[in-house]
Amino acid sequence: MQTRMVEIWVGLFVAAGLAALLMLSLQVSNLSSMSGDDGYTIKARFDNIGGLKVRSAVKMGGVLIGRVASIDLDPVTFEAVVSMTMDPRFNQLPQDSSASIFTAGLLGEQYVGIEPGGADEVLKDGDTLLLSQSALVLEQLIGQFLFSQGSKDKNAGE
Amino acid sequence: MNGLQWLGASALGFFRRLGRGHLFFLDTLVALPANWLRPRLIVQQTYAIGVLSMIIIVVSGLFVGMVLALQGYNTLVDFGAEESLGVVVALSLVRELGPVVAALLFAGRAGSALTAEIGLMKATEQLSGMEMMAVNPISRVIAPRFWGSFLSMPLLAAVFSAVGVLGGYFVGVGLLGVDEGAFWSQMRDKVDFHDDVMNGVIKSIVFGVVAGWIALFEGYDAVPTSEGVSRATTRTVVHTSLAVLGLDFILTALMFGE
């Protein structure tokens, strides 16, 4: 085969390989959606974060508006401090918004849901959400349920 | 006594071969940079190693992706989670099956050909002839082929994964009726560029180096008879497959260990 044809085929091969890589990075993986660090950071304190992980979603009204950047424990108050990187397009969140930890579906992943408040001031970089609601831990719920059932039976018996 | 001697001889032979293999690898590494002075040699070898392997890689990738989608769907539909089919197909292809199966096919398709070619060159004393003419066979014959497999392997693995995802898409969305938007969006949500795609690429680069090294060394070290070349070719396929599978476990443990 002529050298020219060989070179053309190799060029095609390399182009196909790079196109496949490009497809894997843009179409298959999450490289295209929100590349992490740009945006502003807000914090929220929770008594219990359940199964929340770094890179979990932050949603408002079901729409993804940020990602959990880091999770830490306050050594004094023993509260979990969750830092979230927010999409800079949504920089009009009221200052008295509240954060809760929800579960997607019955057994799905946990995410931070933000409910907008009514204040005029908006959240700025580094602000902390004052209102928060912890994750529902299934074991605690079942424990409470059994406990209340038990005490009800006892009351009925007396 | 004879048994003891046999044991000692085979142990010594094993370590001699291991040493020769590493010295050969070092010689090849030293010869690699100078090869870019004559890129045409590399292009020719990339054609023989990479381009001619494309058909088997594309067809296998397509069918592997389609089978993954069929099997994954049957399991997922029991949990009402068939929307996650894209995640299952993409993660298994990008992390494991793409690099590993592409490397196994590569060993069978290109590695065996490399060994046979170089073994025959040795048997017909072409390599010695080159040395007589003061041409270093390592830099003239071995290094371009090493470049070829080093460059081809990541590209072939990427093509394998991409075609496999498309195959999974055809079966999952076209045949089984999974929602198209959920297929892609769940996939994009769960597959991470650095943790999954890049680790797959790193794996395939390692496999390319190992597959090229084993194939070329087996050919270079073959007993220069027709029987010796045939045994070397068999060893290439067996050793490359074992090395790829073993290395894959180690790399997976390192990358996804925590």
Side-chain angles (χ1 to χ4, degrees):
Chain A
M1 188 169 304
Q2 285 171 336
T3 339
R4 197 178 134 72
M5 284 307 288
V6 169
E7 283 169 357
I8 292 173
W9 275 110
V10 170
L12 268 178
F13 168 64
V14 173
L18 292 181
L21 259 183
L22 200 71
M23 177 200 154
L24 287 180
S25 45
L26 294 184
Q27 188 74 17
V28 176
S29 78
N30 54 4
L31 188 67
S32 50
S33 60
M34 260 199 69
S35 50
D37 294 334
D38 53 339
Y40 62 103
T41 308
I42 59 174
K43 289 185 180 145
R45 291 165 169 270
F46 297 96
D47 292 332
N48 192 333
I49 58 164
L52 197 72
K53 291 193 260 315
V54 173
R55 287 195 60 75
S56 290
V58 178
K59 294 181 178 180
M60 176 182 278
V63 180
L64 184 75
I65 59 169
R67 294 253 175 219
V68 172
S70 69
I71 298 173
D72 212 353
L73 188 75
D74 188 321
V76 181
T77 60
F78 302 118
E79 284 174 320
V81 181
V82 176
S83 309
M84 296 164 277
T85 308
M86 311 296 281
D87 193 325
R89 282 185 299 153
F90 307 109
N91 56 0
Q92 306 283 323
L93 305 181
Q95 197 144 41
D96 58 347
S97 301
S98 65
S100 322
I101 295 180
F102 295 124
T103 309
L106 191 60
L107 298 168
E109 285 206 11
Q110 288 186 305
Y111 65 94
V112 180
I114 297 196
E115 291 286 324
D120 288 336
E121 301 96 279
V122 295
L123 283 168
K124 288 184 291 293
D125 190 42
D127 280 358
T128 303
L129 294 173
L130 295 176
L131 298 169
S132 71
Q133 187 192 335
S134 293
L136 287 178
V137 179
L138 213 56
E139 287 91 330
Q140 284 180 358
L141 274 184
I142 294 173
Q144 279 172 6
F145 176 71
L146 290 179
F147 189 71
S148 66
Q149 284 289 316
S151 60
K152 205 189 284 173
D153 289 348
K154 216 182 199 174
N155 291 339
E158 276 170 3
Chain B
M1 215 35 135
N2 274 343
L4 209 62
Q5 189 199 350
W6 174 84
L7 190 69
S10 47
L12 283 177
F14 172 77
F15 283 113
R16 254 188 227 124
R17 232 176 108 72
L18 207 64
R20 278 205 305 277
H22 283 87
L23 287 177
F24 171 82
F25 189 54
L26 284 182
D27 282 346
T28 313
L29 285 186
V30 170
L32 282 183
N35 248 247
W36 283 106
L37 297 175
R38 299 177 68 187
R40 183 152 293 167
L41 287 176
I42 298 176
V43 169
Q44 266 169 8
Q45 291 310 319
T46 312
Y47 178 80
I49 294 169
V51 177
L52 295 183
S53 305
M54 271 296 264
I55 293 178
I56 190 171
I57 291 287
V58 167
V59 174
S60 322
L62 193 68
F63 279 102
V64 166
M66 281 157 58
V67 166
L68 271 178
L70 268 181
Q71 296 284 10
Y73 182 82
N74 284 336
T75 313
L76 289 173
V77 80
D78 288 344
F79 302 102
E82 63 267 30
E83 261 73 38
S84 307
L85 188 65
V87 185
V88 172
V89 171
L91 273 188
S92 35
L93 275 169
V94 167
R95 281 185 172 183
E96 295 292 337
L97 289 177
V100 172
V101 178
L104 294 180
L105 293 171
F106 183 83
R109 164 63 188 75
S112 56
L114 284 176
T115 307
E117 191 185 9
I118 292 172
L120 217 64
M121 278 186 180
K122 193 183 179 192
T124 53
E125 297 185 338
Q126 294 179 45
L127 296 182
S128 324
M130 276 185 188
E131 274 174 41
M132 291 289 290
M133 293 187 288
V135 175
N136 183 358
I138 296 262
S139 62
R140 177 62 179 78
V141 174
I142 303 291
R145 287 169 173 75
F146 189 81
W147 271 119
S149 62
F150 175 75
L151 296 175
S152 302
M153 194 62 237
L155 297 175
L156 289 174
V159 169
F160 188 97
S161 301
V163 172
V165 169
L166 285 180
Y169 168 77
F170 290 141
V171 168
V173 176
L175 214 65
L176 300 170
V178 175
D179 180 57
E180 180 174 356
F183 185 88
W184 288 116
S185 67
Q186 292 242 358
M187 189 190 293
R188 224 172 292 177
D189 197 37
K190 295 278 162 57
V191 180
D192 190 71
F193 179 71
H194 288 285
D195 288 352
D196 299 321
V197 177
M198 282 324 279
N199 277 347
V201 172
I202 293 172
K203 270 187 185 179
S204 61
I205 291 174
V206 174
F207 294 163
V209 170
V210 169
W213 175 20
I214 292 179
L216 294 170
F217 175 66
E218 290 290 356
Y220 196 73
D221 201 52
V223 181
T225 58
S226 33
E227 194 200 352
V229 173
S230 87
R231 292 177 73 164
T233 312
T234 311
R235 267 205 308 269
T236 295
V237 177
V238 174
H239 288 185
T240 310
S241 308
L242 292 178
V244 163
L245 293 171
L247 271 176
D248 180 53
F249 175 75
I250 295 172
L251 288 174
T252 305
L254 287 178
M255 289 167 174
F256 307 108
E258 318 99 74

